Amino acid sequence: MPSPLHIRAAGAADAEAIGAIYDEGVRSGVATFASGPHDAEERRAWLAGRPARAPVYCGEADGRVLAWSALAPFSHRPWYDGVAEYTVYVSSGARGRGVGLRMLDHLVAAAPSFGYWKLVGMILGANAGGLRLARSAGFRVVGTHRAHGRVAGEWRDVTVVERHLDQVAAVDDHLPS
Ligand SMILES: CC(C)(COP(=O)(O)OP(=O)(O)OC[C@H]1O[C@@H](n2cnc3c(N)ncnc32)[C@H](O)[C@@H]1OP(=O)(O)O)[C@@H](O)C(=O)NCCC(=O)NCCS
């Protein structure tokens, strides 16, 4: 990285950048089942509707948002209360330089302060970068759901990864600034 990556809670002013980075992932066809476009208005509503245990973060350098990440409860069932699903998106121009790993490491550090004891990732088949990132961050592959959903009408597998969070880090940057 030419400049240090600063990771902070996302706000409404980040909506456009978050949407643009998300749509790059959508266009790749391997990152998500979601379809775009995600414009600023749509992402602002998405940010405003996040529950307390579903934080969104931005990674920025030189005042530019290069990446975003998020946690969301894995299930509505109370016995899975401590399990969250993670999301990490890096803008195409900033990939391959450790930004994704920084963002995921940060989620791992932040998650216990929201009461989570485990993170789970759902990686679409053919998403080699997403799978490698998970392994690099200490996640293990649980297994692969076959034909779990469709992207543009085509069935896609989903590989589930998990990491148990046995270390509680002192992270409080999820608090609104
Ligand atoms: C997946 C993604 C977040 C990786 O971000 P990144 O900043 O390029 O990742 P990093 O530079 O931190 O690399 C992390 C590891 O993944 C590897 N990697 C990154 N992209 C890769 C690719 N396309 N193919 C294979 N390996 C890849 C890196 O070599 C590195 O491996 P190492 O730790 O063994 O050296 C990025 O490609 C992206 O935003 N993709 C779209 C969204 C997505 O798929 N998110 C994952 C599911 S939530």
Side-chain angles (χ1 to χ4, degrees):
M1 291 296 307
S3 304
L5 188 75
H6 173 56
I7 302 175
R8 55 163 176 80
D14 302 309
E16 186 173 354
I18 289 172
I21 294 169
Y22 194 16
D23 282 339
E24 283 183 340
V26 170
R27 284 193 296 274
S28 75
V30 299
T32 177
F33 287 110
S35 53
H38 299 91
D39 62 19
E41 190 182 346
E42 187 272 342
R43 284 294 91 178
R44 260 196 300 277
W46 175 77
L47 282 165
R50 305 286 291 179
R53 297 179 72 228
V56 181
Y57 299 99
C58 283
E60 67 177 6
D62 294 327
R64 207 164 67 83
V65 174
L66 301 182
W68 64 272
S69 64
L71 295 176
F74 170 76
S75 168
H76 65 280
R77 301 181 199 281
W79 43 89
Y80 294 131
D81 221 32
V83 184
E85 185 181 342
Y86 74 81
T87 303
V88 174
Y89 279 74
V90 177
S91 69
S92 54
R95 291 183 192 166
R97 290 186 273 158
V99 173
L101 190 55
R102 282 282 314 281
M103 298 299 291
L104 187 49
D105 282 346
H106 173 267
L107 290 180
V108 166
S113 65
F114 291 91
Y116 294 122
W117 61 68
K118 179 185 279 191
L119 293 190
V120 165
M122 311 286 282
I123 316 287
L124 266 68
N127 189 353
L131 196 55
R132 182 67 230 169
L133 169 65
R135 287 185 188 277
S136 293
F139 285 72
R140 79 176 186 99
V141 172
V142 177
T144 298
H145 294 291
R146 298 298 178 199
H148 207 48
R150 281 177 283 197
V151 175
E154 280 188 27
W155 287 107
R156 305 297 290 273
D157 296 347
V158 173
T159 295
V160 181
V161 297
E162 68 174 8
R163 178 173 162 178
H164 204 277
L165 309 170
D166 48 6
Q167 289 177 335
V168 178
V171 172
D172 62 2
D173 58 358
H174 59 283
L175 297 170
S177 48

